[in-house]
C-alpha cells in the first residue's frame, strides 16, 4: 500500500485539508497497528475488532489467493481476467456472487490432498488465515478455558468436521500408526455415554466398540473404573484406544479422565477425551490438565459450535503430542472446506479475549441461581432436582410423577413402554411451547444402534431409577431465556398434569 505520507498528499490534492486528512489517516494507522499486532503476536486480541476491520482483513486474505473472482463478473476487465490462466480442474471458480460474498472471495478451501494442514500454493491468503485461526483458538483455550499450554493445549488442529467425524478421523490416524504392531488392535473401549455420534464414530473408523458400563453413585452416573480395568485386561493386546467423555448430560457426569489416563499409561493404550462442549467449564479443563499430568491423554476433541457460538460443522482436536496432531492432518482424505474455520476466525476476532471471558463469566453467573430456581419448580410439582454436583453444565429434575402409578401385578415391560410414551410426550409438549434443548428421558428405554442394544438409553446406564428431564446452562444462554424457561416449564408441568387427570377421569367414567 502507498505510504501514509503519500496518501496524505493525495488527499490534499483532492482539496481535503491537511488537518482533515490527518484525522482520517490516524484511523488507518490504528487499523494497520491492529493487523500488525495480530501478525506479530499471533494471539487473540484483548478486545474484539469491528466488523469493518475484520472484513477488510478477510478481503486482504482473499486478494492474496489466486482466482478470487466470480464468473458473473468475469469479462468486465480483460487485464484482470487474463492475469491468471487457470487450466486445472479446480481453480477456485465461483459462479454466483452471492456464494462468493458468503465466503469473502475465499474459494480454495484449505490444505492439499496429501495433508489438510499444508499450505495451498494457489491460496497464500487462505493458508495464512487457517494457521492464524488455529493459533487464536489455542490462545482462547489456554488463556480463556484454562487448558495447559504445556499439557492438553500444546498442539492442535482445526477440522471442518463435527465432533463425531473428528473422533473417527483421529481413530483412523491412530489405527494407521499402529498398523505395524504385532497384534491386531481393533477394539476401542468406550465408557458408556448415550450420545449416538461418538458410538458411530468408532464404527465409521472400522473399529469394534466395547461398551464399558458406568455405575450409579447417589444420583450421579459415573465412570466404573473397575469395569474399565477389567475390560483392558480382558481384551489385552487388542485395545487400540479408550474413549472417555468430559462433557455430558446429567445424570452422567464427566468421566474420571485422570484415573482412566493412569490406566491407559500403564496399559500402553491411546486415550481420547470427548470434550464436546467442555471448554466453557473451568472445572472440566482442570480435570483434563490433571489427567495429562498423572497419566496418558493423546487427544481431546471439542466442538467449535458448542463452545464458540458458530454454525455447526467444525471441531478442534488438541493434544500434548505434536505427532498425534500431525498424523490427523495426513489421514484427512482430500482438500477441505475452510468455511467452519473462517467462521471461527471471524468469531474469535469479533469476541476478543475479553468477549470470550465475559461469555464464560455470564454463564457462571446464570449458574449461581439455575439449580435453585429449577429446584423450586420441581418441588412445586412434587419432583426433585437430581443431585449431580460434578456436572456443572447440564441439570436434571425427576419426572416420576408424570407416569401413571404402577399396578402391583402389571407386566413390567408393558408398564415401562406405556409410561415411556407418556413421559416423552412431555418433551414434545415443551417443544411445542418453544422450549428447545431439553431431553426427557423415560426409565428403561430400549435403543439399538449399529446392532448394539442399549437398555435405559439416554441415562448412560441400564437401570437409572428415575424418569427425568435435563436442561443445560450453556455458553451464550441469556438470563432472559432462562427466566422464561422456568415460567414455561412450570406452566407445562401444570398443564400436563391437568390433561392426565382429565384422561384418567374419562377412562374411569367409561
Ligand atoms: C454434541 C456431542 C457429540 C456430537 O457432536 P457432533 O459435533 O454432532 O458430532 C458427541 N458427544 C457429546 C458428548 C456431545 O455433546
Amino acid at each position: 500500500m502507498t505510504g501514509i505520507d503519500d496518501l496524505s498528499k493525495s488527499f490534499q490534492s483532492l482539496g481535503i485539508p491537511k488537518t482533515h486528512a490527518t484525522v482520517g489517516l490516524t484511523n488507518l494507522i490504528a487499523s494497520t497497528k491492529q493487523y500488525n499486532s495480530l501478525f506479530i503476536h499471533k494471539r487473540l486480541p484483548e478486545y474484539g475488532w469491528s466488523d469493518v476491520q475484520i472484513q477488510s482483513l478477510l478481503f486482504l486474505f482473499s486478494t492474496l489467493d489466486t482466482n478470487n473472482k466470480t464468473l458473473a463478473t468475469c469479462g468486465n476487465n480483460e487485464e484482470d481476467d487474463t492475469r491468471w490462466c487457470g487450466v486445472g480442474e479446480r481453480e477456485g471458480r465461483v459462479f454466483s456472487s452471492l456464494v462468493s460474498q458468503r465466503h469473502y472471495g475465499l474459494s480454495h478451501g484449505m490444505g492439499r490432498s496429501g495433508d489438510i494442514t499444508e499450505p495451498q500454493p494457489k491460496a497464500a491468503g487462505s493458508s495464512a488465515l487457517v494457521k492464524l485461526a488455529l493459533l487464536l483458538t489455542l490462545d482462547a483455550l489456554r488463556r480463556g478455558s484454562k487448558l495447559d499450554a504445556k499439557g492438553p493445549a500444546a498442539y492442535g488442529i482445526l477440522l471442518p468436521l463435527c465432533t463425531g467425524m473428528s473422533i473417527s478421523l483421529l481413530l483412523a490416524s491412530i489405527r494407521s500408526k499402529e498398523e505395524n504392531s504385532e497384534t491386531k488392535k481393533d477394539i476401542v473401549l468406550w465408557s458408556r455415554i448415550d450420545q449416538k455420534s461418538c458410538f458411530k464414530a468408532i464404527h465409521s473408523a472400522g473399529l469394534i466398540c466395547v461398551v464399558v458400563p458406568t455405575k450409579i453413585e447417589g444420583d450421579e452416573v459415573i465412570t466404573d473404573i473397575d469395569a474399565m480395568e477389567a475390560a483392558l485386561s480382558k481384551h489385552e493386546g487388542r485395545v487400540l484406544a479408550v474413549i472417555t467423555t468430559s462433557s455430558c448430560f446429567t445424570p452422567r457426569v464427566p468421566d474420571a479422565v485422570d484415573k482412566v489416563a493412569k490406566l491407559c499409561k500403564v496399559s500402553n493404550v491411546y486415550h481420547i477425551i470427548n470434550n464436546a462442549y467442555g471448554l466453557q467449564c473451568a472445572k472440566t479443563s482442570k480435570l483434563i490438565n490433571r489427567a495429562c499430568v498423572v497419566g496418558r491423554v493423546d487427544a481431546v476433541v471439542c466442538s467449535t459450535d458448542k463452545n464458540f457460538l458458530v454454525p455447526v460443522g467444525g471441531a478442534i482436536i488438541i493434544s500434548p503430542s505434536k505427532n498425534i496432531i500431525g498424523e490427523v492432518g495426513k489421514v484427512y482424505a482430500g482438500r477441505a472446506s475452510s468455511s467452519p474455520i473462517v467462521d471461527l476466525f471471524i468469531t474469535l476476532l469479533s469476541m476478543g479475549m475479553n468477549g470470550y471471558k465475559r461469555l464464560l463469566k455470564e454463564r457462571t453467573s446464570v449458574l449461581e441461581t439455575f439449580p435453585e430456581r429449577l429446584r423450586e419448580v420441581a418441588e412445586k410439582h412434587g419432583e426433585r432436582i437430581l443431585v449431580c454436583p460434578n456436572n456443572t453444565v447440564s441439570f436434571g429434575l425427576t419426572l416420576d410423577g408424570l407416569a401413571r402409578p404402577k399396578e402391583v401385578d402389571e407386566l413390567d415391560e408393558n408398564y415401562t413402554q406405556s409410561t415411556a410414551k407418556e413421559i416423552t410426550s412431555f418433551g414434545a409438549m415443551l417443544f411445542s411451547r418453544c422450549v428447545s434443548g431439553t431431553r426427557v428421558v423415560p426409565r428403561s428405554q430400549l435403543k439399538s444402534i449399529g446392532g448394539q442394544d442399549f437398555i435405559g438409553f439416554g441415562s448412560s446406564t441400564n437401570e437409572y431409577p428415575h424418569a427425568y428431564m435435563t436442561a443445560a446452562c450453556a455458553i451464550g444462554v441469556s438470563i432472559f431465556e432462562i427466566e422464561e424457561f422456568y415460567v414455561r416449564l412450570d406452566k407445562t408441568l401444570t398443564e400436563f398434569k391437568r390433561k392426565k387427570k382429565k384422561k384418567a377421569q374419562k377412562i374411569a367414567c367409561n
Side-chain angles (χ1 to χ4, degrees):
M1 201 198 277
T2 347
I4 294 288
D5 288 342
D6 292 339
L7 266 179
S8 177
K9 275 186 200 132
S10 310
F11 272 51
Q12 285 165 55
S13 76
L14 291 168
I16 294 160
K18 189 172 178 193
T19 46
H20 298 192
T22 310
V23 170
L25 289 170
T26 52
N27 289 338
L28 188 62
I29 294 168
S31 132
T32 311
K33 258 194 191 153
Q34 273 192 327
Y35 294 147
N36 288 346
S37 167
L38 182 71
F39 283 108
I40 292 165
H41 302 295
K42 301 178 182 68
R43 277 156 72 111
L44 199 52
E46 217 40 53
Y47 295 95
W49 286 11
S50 72
D51 287 358
V52 168
Q53 177 82 348
I54 295 171
Q55 286 180 83
S56 90
L57 179 61
L58 292 170
F59 286 126
L60 175 70
F61 281 137
S62 82
T63 309
L64 292 166
D65 284 3
T66 59
N67 319 71
N68 58 5
K69 57 183 182 281
T70 64
L71 288 189
T73 59
C74 218
N76 290 349
N77 180 338
E78 201 176 318
E79 194 186 331
D80 205 30
D81 291 342
T82 53
R83 217 165 75 72
W84 283 94
C85 305
V87 291
E89 298 78 13
R90 184 186 261 167
E91 292 290 346
R93 292 186 180 111
V94 174
F95 177 82
S96 163
S97 60
L98 280 180
V99 174
S100 182
Q101 278 173 42
R102 197 167 103 75
H103 295 269
Y104 296 92
L106 302 160
S107 61
H108 289 284
M110 62 195 263
R112 309 188 72 174
S113 31
D115 189 333
I116 191 181
T117 59
E118 238 181 276
Q120 167 57 234
K122 288 178 195 164
S126 288
S127 305
L129 187 157
V130 170
K131 297 268 178 200
L132 260 179
L134 173 64
L135 294 171
L136 299 192
T137 311
L138 284 174
D139 193 28
L141 263 52
R142 292 166 184 165
R143 288 197 290 147
S145 304
K146 307 289 179 204
L147 284 167
D148 280 346
K150 289 198 177 109
Y155 302 95
I157 181 170
L158 285 167
L159 295 170
L161 295 169
C162 66
T163 321
M165 285 310 291
S166 296
I167 292 175
S168 193
L169 191 69
L170 178 62
L171 285 170
S173 80
I174 289 173
R175 191 190 46 195
S176 65
K177 267 164 82 93
E178 288 294 307
E179 219 104 79
N180 302 329
S181 81
E182 286 155 34
T183 51
K184 190 174 163 67
K185 293 193 173 163
D186 55 356
I187 288 178
V188 173
L189 301 182
W190 180 59
S191 178
R192 179 173 168 185
I193 159 90
D194 291 352
Q195 224 291 348
K196 291 176 211 163
S197 126
C198 186
F199 181 72
K200 290 199 287 189
I202 301 168
H203 283 218
S204 1
L207 295 160
I208 300 162
C209 178
V210 171
V211 182
V212 178
T214 51
K215 62 180 190 183
I216 301 175
E217 198 174 272
D219 279 346
E220 293 187 344
V221 173
I222 66 167
T223 321
D224 189 337
I225 284 289
D226 296 333
M228 182 62 78
E229 202 167 0
L232 275 165
S233 77
K234 180 178 172 190
H235 301 286
E236 199 184 341
R238 273 185 72 186
V239 181
L240 178 72
V242 173
I243 300 183
T244 52
T245 304
S246 50
S247 68
C248 45
F249 354 83
T250 227
R252 176 77 151 79
V253 299
D255 271 311
V257 294
D258 48 349
K259 289 183 188 152
V260 176
K262 278 186 192 167
L263 287 182
C264 288
K265 193 173 179 179
V266 175
S267 320
N268 195 26
V269 302
Y270 289 87
H271 180 200
I272 297 172
I273 301 177
N274 173 5
N275 189 39
Y277 49 92
L279 295 175
Q280 58 193 292
C281 180
K283 210 170 154 183
T284 304
S285 293
K286 213 168 151 185
L287 183 66
I288 295 173
N289 288 339
R290 215 180 101 72
C292 291
V293 173
V294 299
R296 175 166 180 178
V297 175
D298 291 280
V300 182
V301 186
C302 318
S303 157
T304 54
D305 59 275
K306 286 183 187 168
N307 292 292
F308 292 108
L309 315 179
V310 289
V312 170
I316 174 154
I317 303 182
I318 51 170
S319 170
S321 150
K322 190 177 182 177
N323 196 1
I324 291 275
I325 295 298
E327 295 293 325
V328 174
K330 285 195 194 101
V331 291
Y332 189 99
R335 193 101 70 89
S337 163
S338 63
S339 254
I341 285 98
V342 176
D343 289 343
L344 185 60
F345 182 69
I346 294 173
T347 304
L348 287 174
L349 283 180
S350 176
M351 273 181 191
M353 187 59 84
N354 220 291
Y356 181 47
K357 284 184 178 166
R358 192 179 62 236
L359 281 164
L360 296 176
K361 212 164 150 196
E362 276 167 12
R363 189 189 85 86
T364 45
S365 81
V366 174
L367 208 55
E368 277 167 21
T369 52
F370 192 70
E372 182 55 28
R373 296 290 301 275
L374 212 54
R375 191 179 65 83
E376 281 168 18
V377 181
E379 285 179 0
K380 182 175 165 191
H381 295 276
E383 303 290 348
R384 68 177 183 83
I385 197 160
L386 294 174
V387 184
C388 303
N390 288 303
N391 196 328
T392 53
V393 178
S394 169
F395 295 82
L397 57 100
T398 63
L399 292 180
D400 294 323
L402 295 195
R404 81 200 145 84
K406 188 174 179 174
E407 308 284 332
V408 184
D409 53 357
E410 205 162 5
L411 273 176
D412 250 30
E413 198 157 319
N414 268 342
Y415 172 77
T416 41
Q417 269 179 15
S418 61
T419 53
K421 238 188 187 160
E422 267 178 69
I423 291 177
T424 329
S425 73
F426 178 70
M429 202 165 168
L430 274 172
F431 191 69
S432 72
R433 277 152 192 74
C434 299
V435 175
S436 63
T438 61
R439 301 172 79 248
V440 172
V441 182
R443 287 183 62 182
S444 313
Q445 187 170 229
L446 263 177
K447 187 137 227 154
S448 183
I449 313 165
Q452 167 101 32
D453 290 332
F454 291 90
I455 308 168
F457 190 81
S459 53
S460 305
T461 185
N462 285 1
E463 309 227 349
Y464 200 68
H466 301 285
Y468 61 89
M469 64 166 280
T470 68
C473 183
I475 188 167
V477 74
S478 78
I479 191 77
F480 307 107
E481 267 175 304
I482 288 284
E483 287 294 333
E484 191 54 35
F485 166 63
Y486 304 133
V487 174
R488 288 186 200 174
L489 177 63
D490 180 23
K491 270 191 190 157
T492 315
L493 276 165
T494 308
E495 199 176 324
F496 190 88
K497 285 186 165 170
R498 197 171 56 221
K499 272 195 178 155
K500 212 182 97 185
K501 209 165 168 187
K502 249 189 192 162
K503 209 166 140 193
Q505 279 169 350
K506 218 165 151 188
I507 292 168
C509 285
N510 289 342

